[in-house]
């Protein structure tokens, strides 16, 4: 039982830790950490490399969260059942995948902000709550064109949505903790929003990729 639990934790973290944005940008001759916001997430990839790479990174990062919950966890639950710990495995695996994304061991524990991977986890764990948080994200983004502001609002909305849709205390607690982590990871964005210097999607690029002409 203990060995299976440790294996799930490690595999979930390692899958989450795959730095998709960094790898995609590197394949295109760009170190995404040195351009734009310096973040390896989908938003910076979208802004620097364009819609195609950005959508790919967004989808891949979300799929990491979905995969650990939908594919990996059931396999481990069959090993641990009827142990009562089995019911906690989806949330545990999801948390580990998000932490892997945010603090990837492949880039000296500096990763993304976890929004896409968190979305993937909750799309699998609590689809109705995910839908509400996504709707909040879309409304705020449409009104402001700030991905960061939309993500912060979604992070606040998620635990409320988890509670409103009748999920238990475990998911309410997990979503609250992950929402707080997401907001913490946006601390630099919050400072720029307050200063009026945060970049909007659709704004003219101010810094071209390395090795390419402006």
């Amino acid at each position: 039982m203990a060995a299976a639990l440790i294996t799930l934790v490690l595999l979930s973290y390692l899958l989450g830790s795959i730095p998709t944005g960094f790898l995609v940008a590197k394949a295109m001759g760009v170190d995404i950490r040195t351009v734009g916001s310096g973040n390896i997430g989908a938003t910076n990839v979208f802004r620097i490399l364009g819609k195609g790479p950005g959508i790919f990174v967004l989808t891949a990062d979300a799929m990491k969260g979905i995969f650990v919950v939908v594919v990996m966890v059931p396999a481990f639950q069959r090993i641990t059942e009827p142990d009562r710990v089995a019911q906690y495995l989806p949330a545990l695996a999801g948390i580990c995948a998000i932490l892997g994304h945010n603090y990837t061991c492949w880039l000296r524990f500096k990763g993304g902000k976890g929004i896409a991977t968190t979305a993937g986890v909750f799309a699998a764990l609590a689809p109705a709550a995910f839908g509400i948080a996504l709707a909040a994200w879309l409304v705020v983004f449409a009104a402001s064109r700030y991905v960061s502001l939309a993500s912060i609002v979604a992070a606040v909305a998620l635990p409320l949505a988890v509670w409103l849709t009748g999920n238990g205390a475990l998911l309410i607690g997990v979503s609250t903790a992950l929402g707080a982590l997401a907001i913490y990871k946006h601390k630099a964005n919050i400072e720029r929003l307050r200063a009026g210097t945060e970049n909007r999607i659709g704004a003219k690029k101010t810094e071209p990729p390395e090795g390419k002409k402006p």
Side-chain angles (χ1 to χ4, degrees), residues 3-20 60-77 86 88-106 114 117-118 120-121 125 178:
L5 188 61
I6 293 170
T7 301
L8 176 62
V9 166
L10 289 176
L11 288 178
S12 299
Y13 172 84
L14 288 173
L15 179 63
S17 73
I18 297 172
T20 316
D61 285 345
M63 287 304 299
K64 293 189 294 188
I66 294 172
F67 185 86
V68 297
V69 175
V70 173
V71 177
M72 288 175 55
V73 167
F76 281 88
Q77 283 177 326
Y88 301 110
L89 295 186
L92 177 62
I95 290 170
C96 291
I98 294 164
L99 291 177
H101 177 82
N102 287 0
Y103 305 101
T104 172
C105 57
W106 310 113
T117 306
T118 301
V121 168
L125 288 178
L178 292 176

Coordinates of all heavy atoms in Angstrom, one line a residue, residues 3-20 60-77 86 88-106 114 117-118 120-121 125 178:
A3 N 4.0 1.6 -0.8 CA 4.8 1.7 -2.0 C 3.9 2.2 -3.2 O 4.4 3.0 -4.0 CB 5.4 0.3 -2.4
A4 N 2.7 1.7 -3.3 CA 1.8 2.2 -4.3 C 1.5 3.7 -4.2 O 1.5 4.5 -5.2 CB 0.5 1.4 -4.3
L5 N 1.3 4.1 -2.9 CA 1.0 5.5 -2.7 C 2.2 6.4 -3.1 O 2.0 7.5 -3.7 CB 0.7 5.7 -1.2 CG 0.1 7.1 -0.8 CD1 -1.1 7.4 -1.5 CD2 -0.1 7.1 0.7
I6 N 3.4 6.0 -2.7 CA 4.6 6.8 -3.0 C 4.8 6.8 -4.5 O 5.2 7.9 -5.1 CB 5.8 6.2 -2.3 CG1 5.7 6.4 -0.8 CG2 7.1 6.8 -2.8 CD1 6.7 5.6 0.0
T7 N 4.5 5.7 -5.2 CA 4.7 5.7 -6.6 C 3.7 6.6 -7.3 O 4.1 7.3 -8.2 CB 4.5 4.2 -7.1 OG1 5.4 3.4 -6.5 CG2 4.6 4.2 -8.6
L8 N 2.5 6.6 -6.8 CA 1.5 7.6 -7.4 C 1.9 9.0 -7.2 O 1.8 9.8 -8.2 CB 0.1 7.3 -6.8 CG -1.0 8.3 -7.3 CD1 -1.2 8.1 -8.8 CD2 -2.3 8.0 -6.5
V9 N 2.4 9.3 -6.0 CA 2.8 10.7 -5.8 C 4.0 11.1 -6.7 O 3.9 12.2 -7.3 CB 3.2 10.8 -4.3 CG1 4.0 12.1 -4.0 CG2 2.0 10.8 -3.4
L10 N 4.9 10.2 -6.8 CA 6.1 10.6 -7.6 C 5.7 10.7 -9.1 O 6.2 11.6 -9.8 CB 7.2 9.5 -7.4 CG 7.9 9.5 -6.1 CD1 8.9 8.4 -6.0 CD2 8.6 10.9 -5.9
L11 N 4.9 9.7 -9.6 CA 4.6 9.7 -11.0 C 3.7 11.0 -11.3 O 3.9 11.6 -12.4 CB 3.8 8.5 -11.4 CG 4.7 7.2 -11.5 CD1 3.8 6.0 -11.8 CD2 5.8 7.3 -12.5
S12 N 2.8 11.3 -10.4 CA 2.0 12.5 -10.7 C 2.8 13.8 -10.7 O 2.6 14.6 -11.5 CB 0.9 12.6 -9.6 OG 0.0 11.5 -9.6
Y13 N 3.7 13.9 -9.8 CA 4.6 15.0 -9.7 C 5.5 15.1 -11.0 O 5.6 16.1 -11.7 CB 5.6 15.0 -8.5 CG 6.6 16.1 -8.6 CD1 6.3 17.3 -8.1 CD2 7.9 15.8 -9.1 CE1 7.3 18.3 -8.2 CE2 8.8 16.8 -9.2 CZ 8.5 18.1 -8.8 OH 9.5 19.1 -8.9
L14 N 6.0 14.0 -11.4 CA 6.9 13.9 -12.6 C 6.1 14.3 -13.9 O 6.7 15.0 -14.7 CB 7.6 12.6 -12.7 CG 8.7 12.3 -11.7 CD1 9.2 10.9 -11.8 CD2 9.9 13.3 -11.8
L15 N 4.9 13.7 -14.0 CA 4.1 14.1 -15.2 C 3.8 15.6 -15.2 O 4.0 16.3 -16.2 CB 2.8 13.3 -15.2 CG 1.9 13.6 -16.4 CD1 2.6 13.2 -17.7 CD2 0.6 12.8 -16.2
G16 N 3.4 16.1 -14.0 CA 3.1 17.5 -13.9 C 4.3 18.4 -14.2 O 4.2 19.5 -14.7
S17 N 5.5 17.8 -13.8 CA 6.7 18.6 -13.9 C 7.3 18.8 -15.4 O 8.2 19.6 -15.6 CB 7.8 18.0 -13.1 OG 8.3 16.8 -13.7
I18 N 6.7 18.1 -16.3 CA 7.1 18.2 -17.7 C 6.9 19.7 -18.1 O 5.8 20.1 -18.2 CB 6.4 17.3 -18.6 CG1 6.7 15.8 -18.3 CG2 6.8 17.5 -20.1 CD1 5.8 14.8 -19.0
P19 N 8.0 20.4 -18.4 CA 7.8 21.8 -18.7 C 7.5 22.1 -20.2 O 8.3 22.5 -21.0 CB 9.2 22.4 -18.4 CG 10.2 21.2 -18.7 CD 9.4 20.0 -18.4
T20 N 6.2 21.9 -20.5 CA 5.7 21.9 -21.9 C 6.1 23.2 -22.6 O 6.6 23.2 -23.7 CB 4.2 21.7 -21.9 OG1 3.8 20.7 -21.0 CG2 3.8 21.4 -23.3
A60 N -1.8 20.8 -23.5 CA -0.9 19.8 -22.9 C -0.8 20.0 -21.4 O -0.9 19.0 -20.7 CB 0.5 19.9 -23.5
D61 N -0.7 21.2 -20.9 CA -0.7 21.4 -19.5 C -2.0 21.0 -18.8 O -2.0 20.5 -17.7 CB -0.3 22.9 -19.2 CG 1.1 23.2 -19.4 OD1 1.9 22.3 -19.6 OD2 1.4 24.4 -19.5
A62 N -3.1 21.3 -19.4 CA -4.4 20.8 -18.9 C -4.5 19.3 -18.9 O -5.0 18.7 -17.9 CB -5.5 21.5 -19.6
M63 N -4.0 18.7 -19.9 CA -4.1 17.2 -20.0 C -3.3 16.5 -19.0 O -3.6 15.4 -18.6 CB -3.7 16.8 -21.4 CG -4.7 17.1 -22.5 SD -6.3 16.4 -22.2 CE -5.9 14.6 -22.2
K64 N -2.2 17.2 -18.5 CA -1.4 16.6 -17.4 C -2.3 16.4 -16.2 O -2.3 15.3 -15.5 CB -0.2 17.4 -17.1 CG 0.8 17.5 -18.1 CD 2.1 18.2 -17.7 CE 1.9 19.7 -17.4 NZ 3.2 20.4 -17.1
G65 N -3.2 17.4 -15.9 CA -4.1 17.3 -14.7 C -5.2 16.2 -15.0 O -5.5 15.5 -14.1
I66 N -5.7 16.2 -16.2 CA -6.8 15.3 -16.5 C -6.2 13.8 -16.4 O -6.9 12.9 -15.9 CB -7.4 15.6 -17.9 CG1 -8.1 16.9 -17.8 CG2 -8.3 14.4 -18.3 CD1 -8.6 17.4 -19.2
F67 N -5.0 13.6 -17.0 CA -4.5 12.3 -17.1 C -4.2 11.6 -15.7 O -4.6 10.5 -15.5 CB -3.2 12.3 -17.9 CG -2.6 11.0 -18.2 CD1 -3.0 10.3 -19.3 CD2 -1.6 10.4 -17.3 CE1 -2.4 9.0 -19.5 CE2 -1.1 9.2 -17.6 CZ -1.5 8.5 -18.7
V68 N -3.7 12.4 -14.8 CA -3.4 11.8 -13.5 C -4.7 11.3 -12.8 O -4.7 10.3 -12.1 CB -2.5 12.7 -12.6 CG1 -1.2 13.0 -13.2 CG2 -3.3 14.0 -12.2
V69 N -5.7 12.1 -12.9 CA -7.0 11.8 -12.3 C -7.8 10.7 -13.0 O -8.3 9.8 -12.3 CB -7.9 13.1 -12.1 CG1 -9.2 12.7 -11.5 CG2 -7.2 14.1 -11.3
V70 N -7.9 10.8 -14.3 CA -8.7 9.9 -15.1 C -8.0 8.6 -15.4 O -8.7 7.5 -15.4 CB -9.2 10.6 -16.4 CG1 -9.9 9.6 -17.3 CG2 -10.0 11.8 -16.0
V71 N -6.7 8.6 -15.6 CA -6.0 7.4 -16.1 C -5.2 6.8 -15.0 O -5.3 5.6 -14.7 CB -5.1 7.7 -17.3 CG1 -4.3 6.5 -17.7 CG2 -6.0 8.2 -18.4
M72 N -4.3 7.6 -14.3 CA -3.4 7.0 -13.3 C -4.1 6.6 -12.0 O -3.9 5.5 -11.5 CB -2.3 8.0 -13.0 CG -1.3 8.2 -14.1 SD -0.1 9.5 -13.8 CE 0.6 8.9 -12.2
V73 N -5.0 7.4 -11.5 CA -5.6 7.1 -10.2 C -6.4 5.8 -10.2 O -6.3 5.0 -9.3 CB -6.4 8.3 -9.7 CG1 -7.3 7.9 -8.6 CG2 -5.5 9.5 -9.3
P74 N -7.3 5.6 -11.2 CA -8.0 4.3 -11.2 C -7.2 3.1 -11.1 O -7.5 2.1 -10.5 CB -8.8 4.4 -12.5 CG -9.0 5.8 -12.8 CD -7.7 6.5 -12.3
A75 N -6.0 3.1 -11.8 CA -5.1 2.0 -11.7 C -4.6 1.8 -10.3 O -4.5 0.6 -9.8 CB -3.9 2.2 -12.7
F76 N -4.3 2.8 -9.6 CA -3.8 2.7 -8.2 C -4.9 2.4 -7.3 O -4.7 1.8 -6.2 CB -3.0 4.0 -7.8 CG -1.6 4.0 -8.4 CD1 -1.4 4.6 -9.7 CD2 -0.6 3.6 -7.7 CE1 -0.1 4.6 -10.2 CE2 0.7 3.6 -8.2 CZ 0.9 4.1 -9.4
Q77 N -6.1 2.9 -7.5 CA -7.2 2.5 -6.7 C -7.5 1.1 -6.7 O -7.9 0.5 -5.7 CB -8.5 3.3 -7.1 CG -8.5 4.8 -6.7 CD -9.7 5.6 -7.2 OE1 -10.2 5.3 -8.2 NE2 -10.1 6.5 -6.4
A86 N -8.0 5.1 -0.6 CA -8.2 5.1 -2.0 C -9.1 6.3 -2.5 O -8.9 6.9 -3.5 CB -8.9 3.8 -2.5
Y88 N -9.0 9.2 -1.4 CA -8.3 10.5 -1.4 C -7.3 10.6 -2.6 O -6.7 11.6 -2.8 CB -7.5 10.6 -0.1 CG -8.4 10.7 1.1 CD1 -8.4 9.6 2.0 CD2 -9.3 11.7 1.4 CE1 -9.3 9.6 3.1 CE2 -10.1 11.7 2.5 CZ -10.1 10.7 3.3 OH -11.0 10.7 4.4
L89 N -7.1 9.5 -3.3 CA -6.1 9.5 -4.3 C -6.3 10.5 -5.4 O -5.3 11.1 -5.9 CB -5.9 8.0 -4.9 CG -5.4 7.0 -3.9 CD1 -5.2 5.7 -4.6 CD2 -4.2 7.4 -3.2
P90 N -7.5 10.7 -6.0 CA -7.7 11.6 -7.0 C -7.2 13.0 -6.7 O -6.5 13.7 -7.4 CB -9.2 11.6 -7.3 CG -9.6 10.3 -6.9 CD -8.8 10.0 -5.7
A91 N -7.6 13.5 -5.5 CA -7.2 14.8 -5.0 C -5.7 14.9 -4.8 O -5.0 15.9 -5.2 CB -7.9 15.2 -3.8
L92 N -5.1 13.8 -4.2 CA -3.7 13.8 -4.0 C -2.9 13.8 -5.2 O -1.9 14.6 -5.4 CB -3.3 12.5 -3.2 CG -1.8 12.3 -2.9 CD1 -1.3 13.4 -2.0 CD2 -1.6 10.9 -2.2
A93 N -3.3 13.0 -6.2 CA -2.6 13.0 -7.5 C -2.7 14.3 -8.2 O -1.7 14.8 -8.8 CB -3.1 11.9 -8.4
G94 N -3.8 14.9 -8.1 CA -4.0 16.2 -8.8 C -3.1 17.3 -8.2 O -2.5 18.1 -8.9
I95 N -3.1 17.3 -6.8 CA -2.2 18.3 -6.1 C -0.7 18.1 -6.6 O 0.0 19.0 -6.8 CB -2.3 18.1 -4.6 CG1 -3.7 18.6 -4.2 CG2 -1.2 18.9 -3.9 CD1 -4.0 18.2 -2.7
C96 N -0.3 16.8 -6.6 CA 1.1 16.5 -7.0 C 1.4 17.0 -8.4 O 2.5 17.5 -8.7 CB 1.4 15.1 -6.8 SG 1.4 14.5 -5.1
A97 N 0.5 16.8 -9.3 CA 0.7 17.2 -10.7 C 0.8 18.7 -10.8 O 1.6 19.3 -11.5 CB -0.5 16.7 -11.6
I98 N 0.0 19.4 -10.0 CA 0.0 20.9 -10.0 C 1.3 21.4 -9.4 O 1.9 22.3 -10.0 CB -1.2 21.5 -9.3 CG1 -2.5 21.1 -10.0 CG2 -1.1 23.0 -9.1 CD1 -3.8 21.3 -9.2
L99 N 1.7 20.8 -8.3 CA 3.0 21.2 -7.7 C 4.2 20.9 -8.7 O 5.1 21.7 -8.7 CB 3.2 20.5 -6.4 CG 2.2 20.9 -5.3 CD1 2.5 20.0 -4.0 CD2 2.4 22.4 -4.9
G100 N 4.1 19.8 -9.4 CA 5.1 19.5 -10.4 C 5.2 20.6 -11.4 O 6.3 21.0 -11.9
H101 N 4.0 21.0 -11.9 CA 4.0 22.1 -12.9 C 4.6 23.4 -12.4 O 5.4 24.1 -13.0 CB 2.6 22.3 -13.4 CG 2.5 23.4 -14.4 ND1 2.8 23.3 -15.8 CD2 2.2 24.7 -14.3 CE1 2.6 24.4 -16.4 NE2 2.3 25.3 -15.5
N102 N 4.2 23.7 -11.1 CA 4.6 25.0 -10.5 C 6.0 25.0 -10.1 O 6.7 26.1 -10.1 CB 3.7 25.3 -9.3 CG 2.3 25.7 -9.7 OD1 2.0 25.8 -10.9 ND2 1.5 26.0 -8.7
Y103 N 6.5 23.8 -9.7 CA 7.9 23.7 -9.2 C 8.6 22.6 -9.8 O 8.9 21.6 -9.2 CB 7.8 23.6 -7.6 CG 7.1 24.7 -7.0 CD1 5.8 24.5 -6.5 CD2 7.7 26.0 -6.8 CE1 5.1 25.5 -5.9 CE2 6.9 27.0 -6.2 CZ 5.6 26.8 -5.7 OH 4.9 27.8 -5.1
T104 N 8.8 22.7 -11.1 CA 9.4 21.6 -11.9 C 10.9 21.3 -11.5 O 11.7 22.3 -11.5 CB 9.2 21.8 -13.4 OG1 10.0 20.8 -14.1 CG2 9.8 23.1 -13.8
C105 N 11.2 20.1 -11.2 CA 12.5 19.7 -10.9 C 13.5 19.9 -12.1 O 14.7 19.9 -11.9 CB 12.6 18.3 -10.4 SG 11.9 17.0 -11.5
W106 N 13.0 19.9 -13.3 CA 13.8 20.0 -14.5 C 14.4 21.4 -14.7 O 15.3 21.6 -15.5 CB 13.1 19.6 -15.7 CG 12.4 18.2 -15.5 CD1 11.1 18.0 -15.4 CD2 13.1 17.0 -15.3 NE1 10.8 16.6 -15.2 CE2 12.1 16.0 -15.1 CE3 14.4 16.6 -15.2 CZ2 12.3 14.7 -14.9 CZ3 14.7 15.2 -15.0 CH2 13.7 14.3 -14.8
G114 N 0.3 27.2 -12.9 CA -0.6 26.1 -12.5 C -2.0 26.2 -12.9 O -2.9 25.4 -12.6
T117 N -3.1 23.4 -15.5 CA -3.1 22.1 -14.9 C -4.2 21.9 -13.8 O -4.8 20.9 -13.7 CB -1.7 21.8 -14.3 OG1 -0.7 22.0 -15.3 CG2 -1.6 20.4 -13.8
T118 N -4.4 23.0 -13.0 CA -5.5 23.0 -12.1 C -6.8 22.9 -12.8 O -7.7 22.1 -12.3 CB -5.5 24.3 -11.3 OG1 -4.2 24.5 -10.6 CG2 -6.6 24.3 -10.2
G120 N -7.4 21.3 -15.5 CA -7.5 19.9 -15.9 C -7.9 19.0 -14.8 O -8.7 18.1 -14.9
V121 N -7.3 19.2 -13.6 CA -7.6 18.4 -12.5 C -9.0 18.6 -12.1 O -9.7 17.6 -11.8 CB -6.7 18.8 -11.3 CG1 -7.2 18.2 -10.0 CG2 -5.2 18.4 -11.5
L125 N -12.2 16.2 -11.6 CA -12.7 15.9 -10.2 C -14.1 16.5 -10.0 O -14.9 15.9 -9.3 CB -11.7 16.5 -9.2 CG -10.4 15.8 -9.0 CD1 -9.6 16.6 -8.0 CD2 -10.6 14.4 -8.5
L178 N -5.5 25.4 -3.4 CA -4.9 25.5 -4.8 C -5.3 26.9 -5.4 O -4.5 27.5 -6.1 CB -5.4 24.4 -5.7 CG -4.9 23.0 -5.4 CD1 -5.5 22.0 -6.3 CD2 -3.4 23.0 -5.5

